Structure formats: C-alpha cells, structure tokens
Amino acid sequence: SGEKLAKDLKISRAAVNKQVQLLRKKGYVISAHSNAGYCLEARPDIVSPDEISGFLRSGTDTFQFFYFEDLNSTQEEAKSLAGKSVNEWEVVVAETQRRGKGRLGREWASPSGGIWFSVILKPDILPDSVPQITLVASIALCDTIEKLLGINTSIKWPNDVMSAGMKIAGILTEMSAEVGKTNWVVMGIGINANNDIPADLKESAASLREISGKSINRPELLAFFLEEFRDKVNALIRNGFSAFQDRYNEYSILNGKKVSINNGHETLAGTAGMIDENGYLILQSDNGKIDRIIAGDVTLKNSKQ
Ligand code: BT5
C-alpha cells in the first residue's frame, strides 16, 4: 500500500506517488488499486544497475556500474575511466553502441537488445599473463550460458563464444602496462542476447534468443556472468592458469582442425592442437614446426568463420 511504502521509506505519500511516476517513465508497469495499493506488473527489458543488482548474490556494492542508454563504445568510456580511477570491477554498460569495436579495428554491431559492456580490472598479474584473463572470461561466459540457459556453447580460440556453429559473443581485451607491471585491463564483451542480427552477419552470427526460442533476461545473465568471472579471475591470480586448461580445452573447437593464424606479425598455417598450461595454442605448422601462440586471429579452413 502507498501508506506502508511511505512509512517504510520515511517519505510522504506524495513522494511515493512521484517515484511511481518516475518508474513508469523508465518502463516499469505499475498499476494502482484504490484501497489495496500499487502492483508491479512488469519490468522493462533494460540492463540498468538497479536491474542487475537485483540478481547479484554477492550484494550490490561489489561492482560499480556506469549505465548509458547510448554510447559510442563502452570500451572507450571504460578506458578513460581506468586511467583516472583507482578502483576496479567498474562496469560500463550501454543499451546501444554507435561505434562498437571488435579486435584489430573491426566493427561490432551493437543494436538494442544485446548486452554490451566493458569491465575494468587492475589485476596483480604480469602483462604477459593478461591474455589468460581473456581465456578465463570466455570460460566464464560459456559456463554462464550453459548453467543459466541450458544452451551448449563452445569457444573458438582465443575468445569467440559460439553456439550451433554461430558466433554469439566476442571479447576484446585492451591494457596499459609497463615492463613487469599491469596498470589496468579493460575487457569488453558483446553478447547477442535479444538483439536482431544485421543481415550481413546472419550466416556467421546468432542471438541467444534465436537459439533458445525465448527472450533472455539480460540483467540476470550479466549479473551471473560478472560473479562467475570475478571468482575465476581471483582463482587465476591465486593459482595460475593450469587449473583452467582442461575446462578450456573441453570448450575449444579448434583441436585437430586445419587453420591459418595471423599472430600480428605473420600468418601461420597448420593443424591446431590443445592449449597448453599457460593458455598458448599449440600449432603443428604445415612445415612440421611446433608453434605456441598466445593470441591471434584464426581462420578455419573451409569455413565462413
Ligand atoms: C570481437 O572482435 O569479437 C570482440 C567484440 C567485442 C565487442 C564488445 S561490445 C562491448 C565492448 N565495447 C566495444 O566497443 N567493444 C566491446 P572480432 O573477433 O574482431 O570480431 C569482429 C567481427 O565479428 C566483425 O568483423 C564481424 O564479422 C563480426 N561481428 C560484428 N558484430 C557482431 C555481432 N554483434 N555478433 C557476431 N559477430 C559480429
């Protein structure tokens, strides 16, 4: 009842009514019944901090959210925050991005209905080991999607999350470091949740809504992922990567596949193997040489991916 709300919140009845009007403007459907009070009939499909916090098991002060309806790129916003703030586990979220970024200057389509966010980390980890955080993020994302939605997922090394052969999420890791010291890491993640896939990507990408046949609760998925990811990053910093090696290899689709890999300097062709205890991909090159690769861009032979 309006009266009880006013009493519990120590505000006037008029102030309760004003807040209800504000919530309605944000998309909350609230009916009012004389004598009985208000009823929350439906929540909007938004990834606002309030909505996300409601699903955090570890409490509301474990992450700090910066929420935007529209932004050029959560990654750019998070990078400028990372340089200024001493905190970590700050999360920039946007409903839409005008200039979503992929790796190597590629574009990331970010229409409404997706989950577009960047997480700021200040890990006590050597710069060389930062790519392991990306691998751990992709495990955390697959675990989240499998546990919460029951959808089978896989990883195309290093960090494309796939389902039914289609890309459903991508990860972009950027960092600032000195020799021997990581200043910050910004991990940008794009998940196709309820968004439409642009026509030119339909052959290679899909959304979780398409795959599951139902609308995805985005704040719940994001809250679940953030907690999975944070637990795993803490374990990585404490115990190293080797504990994640098997899990990653179970998800990986590259093992035994003919690939070409651009590592930023050259393109290597061969047969991909497992990843090793440090997160390097083992590549048996066509010329017989064994290479270990920390990061790169993989093209599967005879595939659109
Ligand atoms: C990635 O790049 O997969 C990393 C994407 C990271 C996006 C997030 S969203 C939040 C944060 N803010 C940003 O500005 N970025 C991050 P890459 O491996 O380079 O893949 C890019 C390629 O994937 C493109 O060239 C397209 O072919 C394809 N692509 C673009 N948009 C896509 C989408 N929504 N779903 C699936 N594939 C997409």
Side-chain angles (χ1 to χ4, degrees):
S1 80
E3 199 180 319
K4 182 160 182 348
L5 284 171
K7 207 169 142 221
D8 288 353
L9 298 169
K10 298 189 178 64
I11 56 177
S12 68
R13 288 287 298 275
V16 171
N17 190 46
K18 195 170 152 213
Q19 293 302 323
V20 168
Q21 304 298 344
L22 281 174
L23 286 167
R24 282 183 179 142
K25 274 209 187 105
K26 288 184 182 171
Y28 291 85
V29 181
I30 301 170
S31 57
H33 306 269
S34 48
N35 302 327
Y38 298 103
C39 179
L40 176 61
E41 310 268 1
R43 317 175 82 101
D45 177 20
I46 52 173
V47 275
S48 66
D50 286 344
E51 287 296 317
I52 300 164
S53 297
F55 292 103
L56 288 172
R57 286 160 293 153
S58 55
T60 52
D61 52 2
T62 43
F63 300 94
Q64 198 186 346
F65 294 98
F66 296 84
Y67 173 70
F68 298 85
E69 278 175 14
D70 185 43
L71 204 60
N72 277 338
S73 159
T74 60
Q75 196 71 5
E76 295 309 319
E77 185 70 24
K79 283 197 291 179
S80 84
L81 265 175
K84 287 184 230 149
S85 141
V86 291
N87 299 328
E88 60 169 350
W89 296 107
E90 293 182 325
V91 184
V92 180
V93 193
E95 297 288 349
T96 54
Q97 297 184 115
R98 286 164 191 239
R99 260 179 256 146
K101 293 190 347 178
R103 295 179 301 149
L104 307 169
R106 289 185 288 242
E107 281 176 27
W108 184 258
S110 316
S112 72
I115 310 177
W116 323 125
F117 64 104
S118 298
V119 185
I120 299 172
L121 304 172
K122 309 250 164 93
D124 186 7
I125 193 171
L126 289 174
D128 286 358
S129 301
V130 167
Q132 294 172 349
I133 303 184
T134 317
L135 302 180
V136 163
S138 45
I139 298 176
L141 191 49
C142 288
D143 283 355
T144 298
I145 293 168
E146 299 214 340
K147 283 187 202 163
L148 213 52
L149 307 175
I151 293 175
N152 284 331
T153 54
S154 52
I155 304 172
K156 181 175 163 235
W157 183 90
N159 47 38
D160 282 357
V161 173
M162 319 281 294
S163 186
M166 301 291 217
K167 181 158 169 171
I168 50 177
I171 304 177
L172 166 68
T173 306
E174 294 179 275
M175 65 191 283
S176 150
E178 296 153 37
V179 176
K181 181 176 181 293
T182 304
N183 298 323
W184 51 255
V185 175
V186 171
M187 176 108 12
I189 303 186
I191 308 170
N192 294 316
N194 296 327
N195 55 296
D196 292 332
I197 302 293
D200 59 326
L201 294 173
K202 280 217 158 91
E203 285 195 1
S204 61
S207 70
L208 291 170
R209 184 187 57 190
E210 279 166 353
I211 292 170
S212 68
K214 49 180 195 267
S215 169
I216 305 302
N217 186 328
R218 294 183 300 145
E220 181 183 28
L221 189 104
L222 181 50
F224 197 102
F225 167 78
L226 287 171
E227 292 189 322
E228 282 275 327
F229 180 44
R230 201 193 34 200
D231 290 350
K232 286 184 165 59
V233 169
N234 289 338
L236 174 72
I237 292 167
R238 267 198 318 272
N239 309 324
F241 184 75
S242 58
F244 293 102
Q245 182 189 3
D246 289 348
R247 189 87 182 121
Y248 189 92
N249 279 321
E250 280 164 25
Y251 279 127
S252 174
I253 56 164
L254 285 195
N255 194 12
K257 300 263 168 60
K258 285 273 187 197
V259 294
S260 60
I261 304 182
N262 181 340
N263 64 7
H265 311 291
E266 54 182 342
T267 300
L268 304 162
T271 307
M274 303 270 205
I275 59 151
D276 70 11
E277 68 285 359
N278 296 312
Y280 287 73
L281 180 77
I282 301 170
L283 179 77
Q284 165 104 51
S285 291
D286 288 340
N287 63 16
K289 213 169 122 235
I290 302 278
D291 282 303
R292 285 169 197 269
I293 307 169
I294 187 63
D297 214 34
V298 177
T299 310
L300 279 163
K301 293 272 166 70
N302 312 319
S303 161
K304 297 181 203 87
Q305 307 284 343

